[in-house]
């Protein structure tokens, strides 16, 4: 029976996300209209003598707030994209950031709960009319939310506790409609990265999000991870029991959510968990050939035996693409062991500057020095304050900001999503430890870079070494 008819039979939409195209499109379409209005108003404010920089900053802050508000009213891919924008909140002063933090919290908390009738309809659509024969117990109450579905606790017919992930009815239609709108509205990304090839990056993001609708692919990803990490002393990946349609059944993991560790863990606990997250992400593509792209706290938990449990494998992509190791090795080697000409050549060679475009390579070197600081010392502590300073520098609206002059190859988008999301989590944890050693363990290219850096003579004129020895005031002024 078609799921729409099942829903009608059970009455109402059952808590499913809004899928009326006119409503969703109107919400998203309001973004560029408002953005254009702010730009027009900005012309008048400049004419009245206000600083262009102040006007531009106001436009961007108001636009960002509007984006978060609209995303908070939508579901599906809008919720996922809202998670990706969460670092923008770090670019704002604490007294201004509160509305953004509230909006982002709502993105996590406002996902609708499917009523039992809707859940049963989705189970029938996935596992058939006799779906209950597979379970000895099934809890109709939602155990956890996902961006396009929810998870229920159950007991499989062989007695194993299981997690049953069910997609919202209509999620395919809603998400694909959102993506089509977001493709048209990709010009808004210039608020955050005006120098990028926005259409290509937008398409890469859309592909990532659309892939998460494929539960068959998600189940296959999870099977690959479970096999690769079977018996691992540090990590636990639940086995997939079955997947049919928009339903996935996996083993249940009992553990403490990482969000609770962030809020109430001891410094030692938080650092241990942060290092485990780093180790998992860096080891994953070596062991599975896949990049885990969605490392937010809700997808991790600490098991009673201390292992890091990982769930939700919808956002995975084959990795690394051809040339990625060379990119990492050459750019980092130029920054750590080369000079300005070597860094410029590496950045251009790997597509981070459009052909023929000028940019401030010295400022880029300073930025790499700042964000790469954890990799220059044996032990480092990552904090939200440290991250906030660097995000503000990257997103500063001034035209001279070198990050606004750079491009990002589209293929790099999944890695950027993974890296930035994970960085936010480990900084929230206040992770302290041998971060550089974890990178060296899983990347021979970086291990060689670090070794050369450690054994270089003090007189060597490498970019990072010059900046490391510069007066503190000078380095701060360079970074912004």
């Amino acid at each position: 029976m078609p799921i729409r008819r099942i829903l009608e039979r059970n009455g109402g939409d059952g808590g499913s996300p809004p899928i009326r195209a006119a409503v969703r499109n109107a919400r998203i379409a309001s973004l560029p209209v408002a953005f254009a209005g702010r730009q027009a108003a900005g012309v008048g404010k400049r004419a009245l003598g206000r600083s262009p920089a102040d006007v531009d900053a106001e436009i961007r802050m108001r636009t960002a707030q509007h984006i978060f508000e609209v995303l908070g009213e939508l579901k599906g891919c809008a919720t996922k994209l809202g998670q990706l924008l969460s670092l923008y909140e770090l670019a704002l002063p604490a007294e201004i950031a509160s509305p953004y933090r509230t909006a982002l919290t709502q993105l996590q908390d406002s996902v609708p709960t499917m009523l039992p009738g809707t859940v049963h309809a989705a189970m029938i659509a996935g596992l058939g009319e006799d779906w209950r024969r597979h379970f000895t117990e099934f809890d109709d109450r939602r155990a956890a939310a996902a961006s396009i579905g929810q998870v229920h606790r159950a007991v499989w017919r062989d007695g194993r506790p299981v997690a049953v992930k069910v997609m919202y009815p209509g999620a395919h239609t809603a998400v694909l409609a959102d993506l089509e709108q977001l493709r048209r509205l990709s010009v808004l990304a210039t608020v955050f990265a005006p120098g990028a090839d926005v259409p290509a990056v937008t398409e890469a993001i859309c592909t990532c999000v659309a892939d998460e609708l494929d539960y068959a692919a998600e189940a296959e990803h999870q099977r690959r991870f479970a096999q690769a990490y079977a018996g691992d002393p540090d990590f636990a990946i639940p086995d997939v029991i079955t997947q049919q349609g928009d339903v996935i059944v996996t083993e249940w993991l009992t553990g403490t959510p990482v969000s609770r560790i962030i809020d109430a863990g001891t410094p030692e606990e938080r650092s241990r968990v942060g290092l485990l997250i780093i180790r998992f992400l860096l080891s994953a593509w070596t062991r599975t050939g896949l990049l885990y792209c969605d490392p937010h706290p809700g997808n991790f938990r600490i098991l009673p035996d201390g292992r890091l449990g990982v769930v939700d494998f919808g956002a995975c992509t084959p990795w690394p693409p051809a040339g990625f190791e060379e990119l990492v090795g050459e750019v980092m080697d130029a920054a750590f062991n080369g000079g300005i000409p070597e860094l410029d050549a590496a950045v251009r060679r790997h597509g981070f500057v459009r052909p023929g475009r000028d940019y401030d390579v010295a400022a880029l070197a300073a930025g790499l020095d700042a964000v790469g600081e954890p990799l220059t010392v044996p032990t480092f502590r990552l904090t939200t304050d440290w991250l906030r300073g660097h995000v503000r520098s990257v997103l500063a609206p001034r035209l001279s900001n070198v990050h606004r002059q750079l491009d990002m190859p589209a293929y790099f988008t999944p890695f950027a999503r993974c890296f930035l999301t994970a960085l936010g989590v480990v900084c929230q944890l206040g992770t302290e430890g041998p971060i550089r050693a974890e990178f060296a363990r899983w990347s021979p290219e970086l291990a060689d870079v670090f070794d050369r850096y450690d054994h270089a003579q003090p007189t060597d004129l490498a970019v990072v070494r010059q900046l490391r020895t510069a007066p503190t005031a000078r380095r701060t002024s360079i970074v912004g």
Side-chain angles (χ1 to χ4, degrees):
M1 179 182 298
I3 197 162
R4 174 64 65 187
R5 290 180 57 195
I6 296 173
L7 288 173
E8 290 171 352
R9 184 182 68 184
N10 286 279
D13 65 6
S16 60
I19 59 174
R20 289 174 55 197
V23 174
R24 299 175 67 82
N25 292 351
R27 291 291 192 189
I28 299 177
S30 69
L31 292 170
V33 174
F35 181 52
R38 293 186 195 104
Q39 287 183 311
V43 173
K45 291 176 181 178
R46 293 185 189 95
L48 292 174
R50 283 194 59 184
S51 162
D54 288 345
V55 173
D56 288 343
E58 180 181 342
I59 289 171
R60 284 172 174 79
M61 283 193 288
R62 289 182 179 276
T63 300
Q65 185 173 16
H66 190 193
I67 288 172
F68 286 138
E69 289 172 352
V70 172
L71 291 178
E73 295 172 355
L74 298 173
K75 309 301 170 199
C77 78
T79 303
K80 186 64 65 178
L81 291 170
Q83 294 170 1
L84 304 187
L85 290 172
S86 61
L87 279 179
Y88 188 78
E89 180 260 324
L90 291 171
L92 303 174
E95 65 274 12
I96 300 176
S98 179
Y100 295 80
R101 196 175 301 115
T102 299
L104 288 167
T105 299
Q106 290 173 345
L107 287 177
Q108 301 294 331
D109 296 342
S110 64
V111 180
T113 300
M114 282 192 282
L115 300 178
T118 307
V119 175
H120 299 167
M123 295 297 292
I124 291 171
L127 300 182
E129 291 280 354
D130 59 347
W131 64 273
R132 286 191 178 275
R133 70 180 177 83
H134 297 293
F135 305 94
T136 60
E137 297 178 26
F138 185 92
D139 192 339
D140 288 340
R141 296 169 298 179
R142 181 176 76 176
S147 57
I148 55 173
Q150 62 188 42
V151 178
H152 293 259
R153 296 193 69 157
V155 177
W156 195 243
R157 57 185 179 239
D158 62 5
R160 281 181 288 177
V162 295
V164 183
K165 185 176 179 180
V166 185
M167 189 181 298
Y168 289 122
H172 286 265
T173 300
V175 169
L176 294 177
D178 280 351
L179 292 177
E180 192 57 37
Q181 281 292 330
L182 288 167
R183 287 184 177 96
R184 298 190 186 111
L185 306 176
S186 60
V187 66
L188 284 171
T190 59
V191 172
F192 305 100
D197 182 354
V198 171
V201 172
T202 300
E203 191 58 38
I205 292 173
C206 289
T207 299
C208 290
V209 175
D211 286 347
E212 295 183 46
L213 293 167
D214 187 347
Y215 273 13
E218 177 175 342
E220 183 54 38
H221 296 157
Q222 186 162 339
R223 291 187 185 101
R224 192 186 300 189
F225 272 86
Q227 181 178 4
Y229 286 93
D232 192 280
D234 292 326
F235 307 107
I237 313 297
D239 286 327
V240 175
I241 296 174
T242 189
Q243 175 275 319
Q244 297 183 49
D246 292 335
V247 176
I248 303 178
V249 182
T250 68
E251 292 179 327
W252 182 269
L253 283 186
T254 298
T256 303
V258 164
S259 57
R260 194 177 304 166
I261 303 293
I262 292 173
D263 292 336
T266 66
E268 293 76 17
E269 283 180 303
R270 295 200 301 270
S271 290
R272 179 180 177 275
V273 171
L275 288 170
L276 281 176
I277 290 173
I278 292 171
R279 183 176 305 161
F280 172 72
L281 296 174
L282 293 175
S283 67
W285 73 71
T286 299
R287 297 173 68 168
T288 69
L290 294 169
L291 178 70
Y292 185 86
C293 298
D294 199 10
H296 71 78
N299 289 341
F300 298 118
R301 57 213 57 191
I302 300 301
L303 276 57
D305 61 10
R307 288 180 297 165
L308 179 72
V310 187
V311 298
D312 197 340
F313 293 82
C316 294
T317 191
W319 202 264
F324 179 77
E325 288 99 337
E326 291 80 0
L327 182 158
V328 171
E330 291 179 16
V331 172
M332 294 300 290
D333 192 48
F336 275 63
N337 302 309
I340 292 293
E342 289 81 5
L343 179 61
D344 178 53
V347 168
R348 290 185 183 278
R349 182 162 54 250
H350 290 285
F352 287 91
V353 178
R354 296 189 187 184
R357 181 166 189 166
D358 293 328
Y359 73 107
D360 190 345
V361 65
L364 175 62
L368 286 175
D369 161 58
V371 76
E373 186 179 4
L375 304 180
T376 64
V377 291
T379 300
F380 191 84
R381 183 167 183 248
L382 295 163
T383 67
T384 299
D385 286 342
W386 174 85
L387 178 59
R388 185 184 298 276
H390 298 310
V391 172
R392 285 183 184 176
S393 174
V394 170
L395 296 180
R398 62 182 184 275
L399 295 177
S400 59
N401 184 350
V402 66
H403 303 96
R404 300 173 63 80
Q405 303 165 9
L406 299 174
D407 196 3
M408 184 175 73
Y411 82 87
F412 200 76
T413 303
F415 180 82
R417 171 187 178 181
C418 172
F419 177 79
L420 293 174
T421 306
L423 188 59
V425 175
V426 297
C427 285
Q428 289 179 66
L429 285 161
T431 305
E432 182 174 13
I435 294 166
R436 183 175 74 166
E438 286 294 340
F439 277 82
R441 177 181 178 183
W442 301 104
S443 172
E445 294 81 11
L446 286 181
D448 182 60
V449 169
F450 301 152
D451 185 66
R452 292 180 58 199
Y453 176 80
D454 289 340
H455 291 90
Q457 298 300 314
T459 55
D460 287 354
L461 298 179
V463 171
V464 166
R465 185 164 284 101
Q466 292 181 63
L467 293 163
R468 291 278 111 201
T469 58
T472 301
R474 170 62 179 154
R475 291 182 61 237
T476 301
S477 68
I478 291 174
V479 175

